[in-house]
Amino acid sequence: MIISKKVSITRIISGTGRHFLFDLVTCVLTFFIFSRFQAFGIELPVLIPSVLGTALAFFIGFNNNQAYDRWWEARKIWGALVNDSRTWAREVLFFYKDKPEMSKIAIDRHIAFIYALKENLRDSNTKEYLKYLSEEDQAYIANESNKANAILSIQTRELNEAYQNGDIDGFRFLELNKMLVNFCDEMGKSERISNTVFPTTYNYYTSIFIWVFIVTVTAVASQSVGVLSIPVGTLIGYVFLTTHKIGQSLLNPFEEIPTGIPITQISRTIEINMLQTRKETVLPPVIESVDGEYIM
């Protein structure tokens, strides 16, 4: 996630430099090719880029709005996950006050759940969750495709056994079970965003129309300003290409990219908060930002 309020020139060049070069080459080729057609008296009406530009503005606006909605929903889900995780740590700590070992295991399992969910969303295989699981729990989830869901199943089983054994009363059972339901909901919502592909036709046709627009703008401008149509077409095209790229960078909020949701940092924050809740002194390091610009 971008955290810097300043825009780095290096990041701008690395992010849009290739589009700018393609844009410039397209405008140069368009100018020289259309100059040949002008020699035969062929001209393009100004109406073509005018109408196409208006249509593109609606297309790009729709794309960017939907992309930001996906990104913001993902951020809200993981914000809720942070709050619910803190509540879970407090509740198991005090509800299992006479059973400190049970509260420790429940907190460790939840940290494992967070890391398993993060790895599932980012399709990674670092298996950070294993250090917080017992050998028995590791064996239980070994053959499960969804490790995070399997960990929740263990939590539910252990909670039910604690209630049946009289370690917690009915009220505490309901409160803790409600938190497990919340975790399952947040997991499902995250997976829905991750697994739902934004309609490719929108991005495909928008990209095609932008390049057609660049060609027509340059061609029409060459009829009145000559060679100056090259910088005119390049500038206008660059604006449309960059705006479209901004929206595309938000489409997959869980990807490990600068514009994605910083679930690595959020996971570490949850881990630290939960360990501090039970007064642990040895804590993992905080995830730092990259050059003060973004954080993963």
Side-chain angles (χ1 to χ4, degrees):
M1 182 175 72
I2 304 295
I3 60 174
S4 175
K5 295 182 179 180
K6 297 181 180 179
V7 180
S8 169
I9 298 298
T10 303
R11 182 149 51 87
I12 292 176
I13 294 174
S14 63
T16 63
R18 187 176 64 175
H19 277 162
F20 178 79
L21 289 177
F22 282 132
D23 183 20
L24 177 60
V25 170
T26 300
C27 291
V28 171
L29 292 176
T30 300
F31 171 75
F32 284 108
I33 292 174
F34 193 72
S35 296
R36 299 292 183 91
F37 287 96
Q38 285 181 300
F40 298 99
I42 300 176
E43 293 188 354
L44 290 179
V46 179
L47 185 63
I48 294 178
S50 299
V51 173
L52 188 54
T54 302
L56 273 175
F58 283 108
F59 263 93
I60 295 174
F62 173 79
N63 286 354
N64 288 7
N65 284 337
Q66 296 303 309
Y68 183 76
D69 283 346
R70 285 166 63 94
W71 186 93
W72 181 238
E73 184 183 2
R75 185 62 188 88
K76 288 192 294 183
I77 291 169
W78 274 74
L81 194 53
V82 172
N83 294 339
D84 287 342
S85 297
R86 291 167 176 167
T87 301
W88 171 262
R90 287 194 301 270
E91 288 185 350
V92 297
L93 186 66
F94 292 103
F95 288 0
Y96 289 133
K97 193 171 182 179
D98 297 328
K99 302 281 185 176
E101 185 59 29
M102 293 178 67
S103 65
K104 179 182 183 301
I105 293 174
I107 290 175
D108 282 349
R109 277 206 200 101
H110 183 71
I111 297 174
F113 161 76
I114 294 295
Y115 278 113
L117 178 58
K118 184 203 78 170
E119 292 179 17
N120 183 39
L121 295 174
R122 285 194 167 164
D123 197 23
S124 63
N125 195 34
T126 54
K127 297 183 178 180
E128 295 176 85
Y129 56 85
L130 290 179
K131 65 180 179 181
Y132 285 106
L133 295 175
S134 65
E135 292 185 1
E136 181 183 351
D137 289 348
Q138 291 179 28
Y140 181 88
I141 71 170
N143 297 320
E144 297 287 337
S145 58
N146 191 324
K147 309 297 184 185
N149 187 59
I151 293 172
L152 283 185
S153 296
I154 298 175
Q155 293 278 56
T156 303
R157 183 193 67 196
E158 295 297 315
L159 178 62
N160 186 58
E161 290 179 359
Y163 173 64
Q164 291 179 340
N165 295 335
D167 295 323
I168 56 174
D169 57 27
F171 169 77
R172 295 177 180 181
F173 171 81
L174 290 176
E175 286 298 307
L176 292 174
N177 187 66
K178 181 173 70 175
M179 298 310 303
L180 291 176
V181 172
N182 288 349
F183 297 144
C184 187
D185 287 343
E186 288 149 2
M187 175 179 65
K189 291 175 182 177
S190 298
E191 291 172 341
R192 169 173 52 80
I193 294 174
S194 178
N195 297 331
T196 302
V197 178
F198 190 78
T200 54
T201 51
Y202 283 107
N203 285 329
Y204 175 76
Y205 285 115
T206 301
S207 298
I208 294 297
F209 292 157
I210 287 175
W211 289 108
V212 173
F213 175 67
I214 292 172
V215 170
T216 56
V217 164
T218 306
V220 170
S222 68
Q223 298 170 173
S224 56
V225 296
V227 73
L228 290 178
S229 63
I230 295 176
V232 170
T234 301
L235 177 60
I236 295 175
Y238 180 73
V239 170
F240 276 81
L241 287 169
T242 302
T243 305
H244 182 50
K245 183 176 177 61
I246 290 172
Q248 287 183 309
S249 67
L250 299 176
L251 282 177
N252 300 305
F254 296 118
E255 283 189 357
E256 197 168 2
I257 56 178
T259 53
I261 298 298
I263 57 177
T264 298
Q265 183 260 348
I266 294 174
S267 299
R268 181 59 57 82
T269 298
I270 293 174
E271 179 184 11
I272 292 173
N273 289 166
M274 299 191 76
L275 292 176
Q276 286 179 326
T277 300
R278 68 180 193 215
K279 307 303 180 183
E280 295 284 349
T281 56
V282 179
L283 302 172
V286 176
I287 301 295
E288 301 291 343
S289 64
V290 178
D291 298 327
E293 292 186 13
Y294 61 88
I295 194 165
M296 296 292 192

